[in-house]
Amino acid sequence: MFQKKPEPPLCLPGFDHINRFFDRQHKHFAAKILPGEYYVTRESEVITTVLGSCISVCVFDPKLRMGGMNHFMLPSGNNLDLLSDSFRYGDVAMERLVNDILRNGGDKERLIFKAFGGGQIIKNMTSIGQRNITFLHKFMTMEGYKLTASDLGGPHPRKVIFFPQEGTVRVKKLQHMHNDTIVARENRYETELSKKEEVTGDIDLFD
């Protein structure tokens, strides 16, 4: 007799495009986010991603047991002034995540922030990861937020699994994984960001 395939929990409006699958290891549905994506949920599911030089921030409201996670990289350029286009891209990535949590009942005063990634996974390469880390610290200071936990920098890619109903995060540093796929994916993402910046000057990471 065939066992009925489990149905994923309902997702919040605007997140239907996110890839979700049943994670047999954790016995939950998982939302897998790629560079430029984010996901917010009130349900018993996990959010997962793999990071190289990109950063993911997990945001959690402990009263509502609701949370979300993003996955972002700044476009090319070394200017991290608060008014620069590069800063504005990261600013939007953070604000959309936080605003979606607030829109669904979260309270800014309760939010807990944890951040991961920003690795330099290719030796002797310009540290995009460090620029992303610098941006994050500037943004958090500017908005009056604090990180309660972080695992940033270093030479390794990371797999991040966030449990948004508990606010807990599991991080695995990928010691022996080939980095080619991660690097290629992030290079494509950075190229797309740079093209958008050159052509329109607009910020629209998640449409």
Side-chain angles (χ1 to χ4, degrees):
M1 185 176 182
F2 291 105
Q3 187 175 6
K4 186 178 180 181
K5 185 178 180 180
E7 293 292 330
L10 291 176
C11 64
L12 294 172
F15 294 106
D16 304 80
H17 64 289
I18 297 297
N19 177 31
R20 293 192 295 166
F21 62 96
F22 187 74
D23 185 336
R24 298 187 184 279
Q25 179 182 355
H26 297 100
K27 296 181 173 59
H28 285 283
F29 270 89
K32 183 178 182 180
I33 58 172
L34 299 174
E37 295 182 338
Y38 72 110
Y39 188 74
V40 175
T41 183
R42 293 182 292 213
E43 304 296 333
S44 180
E45 54 185 336
V46 301
I47 310 173
T48 183
T49 197
V50 175
L51 302 166
S53 55
C54 288
I55 282 179
S56 281
V57 178
C58 303
V59 184
F60 173 58
D61 184 317
K63 182 176 180 180
L64 296 185
R65 300 186 69 206
M66 173 177 64
M69 181 168 77
N70 60 19
H71 181 151
F72 69 87
M73 183 196 330
L74 305 186
S76 59
N78 295 316
N79 186 2
L80 279 179
D81 182 83
L82 300 184
L83 299 179
S84 72
D85 286 336
S86 289
F87 195 95
R88 288 169 59 229
Y89 270 87
D91 189 26
V92 169
M94 289 299 301
E95 287 193 353
R96 288 195 173 181
L97 171 59
V98 171
N99 287 344
D100 261 38
I101 292 175
L102 300 182
R103 190 179 299 119
N104 285 280
D107 188 319
K108 187 174 182 179
E109 300 302 318
R110 293 194 301 257
L111 297 184
I112 295 171
F113 293 79
K114 301 179 181 182
F116 309 91
Q120 185 171 355
I121 59 177
I122 300 180
K123 292 182 179 179
N124 304 319
M125 184 177 180
T126 302
S127 182
I128 300 171
Q130 186 56 53
R131 290 182 57 251
N132 292 328
I133 294 169
T134 300
F135 154 76
L136 178 64
H137 288 313
K138 284 188 175 184
F139 175 86
M140 297 292 287
T141 299
M142 181 179 69
E143 294 294 326
Y145 298 136
K146 293 183 178 180
L147 292 175
T148 62
S150 64
D151 182 21
L152 300 166
H156 303 295
R158 295 165 170 87
K159 181 175 183 179
V160 179
I161 303 171
F162 177 42
F163 297 81
Q165 284 198 331
E166 290 79 32
T168 57
V169 183
R170 294 180 184 173
V171 180
K172 181 178 181 180
K173 292 181 179 178
L174 304 176
Q175 305 282 349
H176 305 294
M177 179 178 178
H178 293 294
N179 296 338
D180 295 352
T181 301
I182 300 172
V183 172
R185 184 183 66 189
E186 292 190 356
N187 284 339
R188 286 196 301 269
Y189 177 48
E190 186 185 20
T191 299
E192 290 170 5
L193 290 182
S194 298
K195 285 181 179 178
K196 285 184 180 181
E197 195 176 27
E198 291 171 3
V199 173
T200 68
D202 291 335
I203 301 172
D204 196 3
L205 299 185
F206 305 109
D207 289 350

